[in-house]
Amino acid sequence: DIILPDLEMFHSEKGVCIKCHEIGSPPISLADSFFKGLSSLESILGEIEHFIEKTKKSGRMVAALYLEFSNARNEFLKARSLTHTLDLNRVSAHLLEANYMIEDLRKGIKKIEAEIGYRKKFAIAVDVLFVIIIGLLLTLRWNLKKKNLKEEIS
């Protein structure tokens, strides 16, 4: 069969290997290792890409994050293409490299999230201060009107 390659082809119970190999056999174990490593990394990359897009829409510069993401994605693609060699060590090396890159990405993401949190707190503080100033000005104005009314009556 000519099948469009995707990660599901490595699934130990639903993949293409199960047609010829028994569950628990070395080829199925190898396919399962490929499936677990690649699908986990693909999921993480999807989450990071979603965060980057959301951050970009908020107006933040994400070029550096996107570059790091692209490098990690390239390592994922290299690992995926190396599955044809059936060499777990070569595939794992690229998965490991991608995971190192993802750790750096997560540090950058935490930094951005902390900055966003700080900006929200700052904005709330400015809003509260603005409301207090407006309240003081309205109180002052009201007191001045009250004083002017008393002077007019007297």
Side-chain angles (χ1 to χ4, degrees), residues 32-76:
D32 196 43
S33 295
F34 287 162
F35 177 75
K36 287 177 182 174
L38 290 167
S39 60
S40 172
L41 185 56
E42 185 176 53
S43 175
I44 292 167
L45 287 170
E47 291 169 12
I48 290 173
E49 185 174 31
H50 176 74
F51 175 83
I52 291 171
E53 288 303 315
K54 184 175 86 173
T55 304
K56 182 180 176 183
K57 287 178 184 175
S58 74
R60 293 199 39 92
M61 295 295 292
V62 294
L65 270 183
Y66 194 74
L67 178 62
E68 288 181 51
F69 168 79
S70 295
N71 290 336
R73 178 102 177 132
N74 285 340
E75 288 300 317
F76 165 78

Side-chain angles (χ1 to χ4, degrees), residues 10 26-27 29-35 37-38 75-96:
F10 295 114
S29 296
L30 178 64
D32 196 43
S33 295
F34 287 162
F35 177 75
L38 290 167
E75 288 300 317
F76 165 78
L77 294 173
K78 288 176 189 176
R80 186 174 170 172
S81 68
L82 284 172
T83 58
H84 295 284
T85 66
L86 300 177
D87 185 342
L88 183 58
N89 292 330
R90 288 179 70 193
V91 171
S92 295
H94 288 283
L95 292 176
L96 188 61

Side-chain angles (χ1 to χ4, degrees), residues 79-142:
R80 186 174 170 172
S81 68
L82 284 172
T83 58
H84 295 284
T85 66
L86 300 177
D87 185 342
L88 183 58
N89 292 330
R90 288 179 70 193
V91 171
S92 295
H94 288 283
L95 292 176
L96 188 61
E97 184 63 30
N99 279 311
Y100 288 140
M101 292 175 179
I102 285 170
E103 286 307 311
D104 289 341
L105 273 165
R106 285 187 171 150
K107 288 175 188 173
I109 288 170
K110 283 182 183 180
K111 188 176 176 182
I112 289 171
E113 288 173 334
E115 184 180 327
I116 289 170
Y118 171 78
R119 286 181 181 201
K120 283 181 181 179
K121 288 176 186 174
F122 182 77
I124 289 170
V126 168
D127 289 346
V128 168
L129 184 62
F130 184 71
V131 168
I132 290 170
I133 290 171
I134 295 294
L136 288 172
L137 289 173
L138 288 173
T139 302
L140 181 64
R141 183 175 178 209
W142 184 68

